[in-house]
Every structure is written in C-alpha cells, then in structure tokens.
Amino acid sequence: MSERTHQAKTETRAGLLAARRSRPDQAAQDAGVRAHLAPLVADLGTVAGYVPLPNEPGGAALPEILASAARRLLLPVLRPDRDLDWAVYTGVLVPAGYGLREPSGPRLGPAAISEAELVVVPAVAVDRAGVRLGRGGGSYDRALARVGPGTLIVAVLYGDELVDRLPREPHDVRVHAVVTPAGLVRL
C-alpha cells in the first residue's frame, strides 16, 4: 500500500467515525436500516452478517433482525491473525477481544462465508463504484475474497457515508450494494 493511499484512508476513516459518534438521530436511522435489510434477507438459507459496534449502522438489534428473517445466520469470530472465522448465531453473544461480541457456538472455519447466499458487512464508507472503506484491519477484505461468485455483498451505512470516490487498493473487494436508512442502492 502506498503511503499516500494509507494516509488518505486514515483521514477519511477518522472524519467519518467522528461524524458517527455525534449523530443525533442514530436510533431512528438504525431502525430504517433494519427495516430495509429484513426483506432483503427474508427466506434465504444462509446469510453472513455481523454484530455492530457502538455507533455502527443497524445498532445492537441487527443480528436478531437478520436471524429472524433468514433460516441461518453466520456471524464473524475474530481470529488471532485478524482473519474471520464464522459461527451460527443462536441468539446468544459473548464478549470477545477488542470490545467485540461474537456467537458462542462451534467455529465453522474461515471458508464458511462461501456458503452464504447474501453477505451483509460493516463499512465506514462505500463509494459509487463499490469500493468499501472498513476500519483498517483487513479482516473483511480477506473474508470477502472467499465469497462465492454471484453472491450479493451488501454494506450497511448511514446515508452520508455513500460517497463519490474512495482510495482503492488491489486487495479491496468491492460490494454490490449498500443499505442505508433510505433503502437499498445497487452499485
């Protein structure tokens, strides 16, 4: 990664995360995100989702909404090498490292994401070409490289986080759509 690209990502990420922390209408926007995700997930077999951190779109109720709509919800488990393992969500989340919460069930391995018919991922921002800016650890870039061809990858954002252009690197896996409080946007 070039130093310039790294710096641009760091600055963009910092500004957007600061804006999230000061968002006054977060609860209403989270409800809007969940309302638009539920029909997208409805009646699918396996969906890979995530457990939002504080101030992330969708809010704490997101896993429950996804699980109630899909037949099987896989949630990530952060491995020591920062790659993602997966486990089935059974309604229980336990505390994990880095302030995360994760399912307590058996680990299915990093390749389990390839079973998903739909992948719902967190993002700090996404541009109109599908370039996703995450938190900078690379966990989702590695995981998304394992997603099967034709599987829809959807990032969850607040409306102002869909931007015109983001810095991109060769390893960045593009998303196909975003869900915001206003609805689904295909890219």
Side-chain angles (χ1 to χ4, degrees), residues 126-145:
V126 172
D127 74 15
R128 302 228 175 249
V131 174
R132 176 188 160 275
L133 178 67
R135 290 195 173 254
S139 301
Y140 277 93
D141 287 320
R142 283 179 279 190
L144 292 176

Side-chain angles (χ1 to χ4, degrees), residues 79-145:
R79 296 168 30 134
D81 64 359
R82 299 195 68 137
D83 201 348
L84 296 178
D85 202 332
W86 299 89
V88 174
Y89 177 60
T90 60
V92 177
L93 295 172
V94 297
Y98 303 100
L100 301 173
R101 295 177 303 139
E102 62 188 33
S104 59
R107 304 311 186 237
L108 304 174
I113 192 172
S114 67
E115 301 169 21
E117 297 170 58
L118 171 73
V119 178
V120 180
V121 296
V124 175
V126 172
D127 74 15
R128 302 228 175 249
V131 174
R132 176 188 160 275
L133 178 67
R135 290 195 173 254
S139 301
Y140 277 93
D141 287 320
R142 283 179 279 190
L144 292 176

Side-chain angles (χ1 to χ4, degrees), residues 11-23 55 124 161:
E11 290 171 6
T12 301
R13 184 180 299 114
L16 289 164
L17 290 175
R20 276 188 181 174
R21 287 188 295 274
S22 63
R23 190 173 296 281
N55 299 314
V124 175
E161 296 168 345

Side-chain angles (χ1 to χ4, degrees), residues 33-173:
V33 164
R34 293 189 303 265
H36 291 294
L37 270 176
L40 191 61
V41 174
D43 299 322
L44 291 178
T46 299
V47 171
Y50 69 98
V51 181
L53 293 167
N55 299 314
E56 278 190 331
L62 182 62
E64 196 56 43
I65 296 298
L66 294 175
S68 68
R71 290 188 206 107
R72 179 176 178 237
L73 176 62
L74 302 180
L75 293 177
V77 176
L78 187 64
R79 296 168 30 134
D81 64 359
R82 299 195 68 137
D83 201 348
L84 296 178
D85 202 332
W86 299 89
V88 174
Y89 177 60
T90 60
V92 177
L93 295 172
V94 297
Y98 303 100
L100 301 173
R101 295 177 303 139
E102 62 188 33
S104 59
R107 304 311 186 237
L108 304 174
I113 192 172
S114 67
E115 301 169 21
E117 297 170 58
L118 171 73
V119 178
V120 180
V121 296
V124 175
V126 172
D127 74 15
R128 302 228 175 249
V131 174
R132 176 188 160 275
L133 178 67
R135 290 195 173 254
S139 301
Y140 277 93
D141 287 320
R142 283 179 279 190
L144 292 176
R146 298 181 190 106
V147 171
T151 299
L152 184 64
I153 302 170
V154 178
V156 180
L157 302 171
Y158 294 120
D160 56 349
E161 296 168 345
L162 178 58
V163 300
D164 289 333
R165 190 163 189 271
L166 288 169
R168 182 179 186 277
E169 297 177 86
H171 68 266
D172 291 334
V173 177

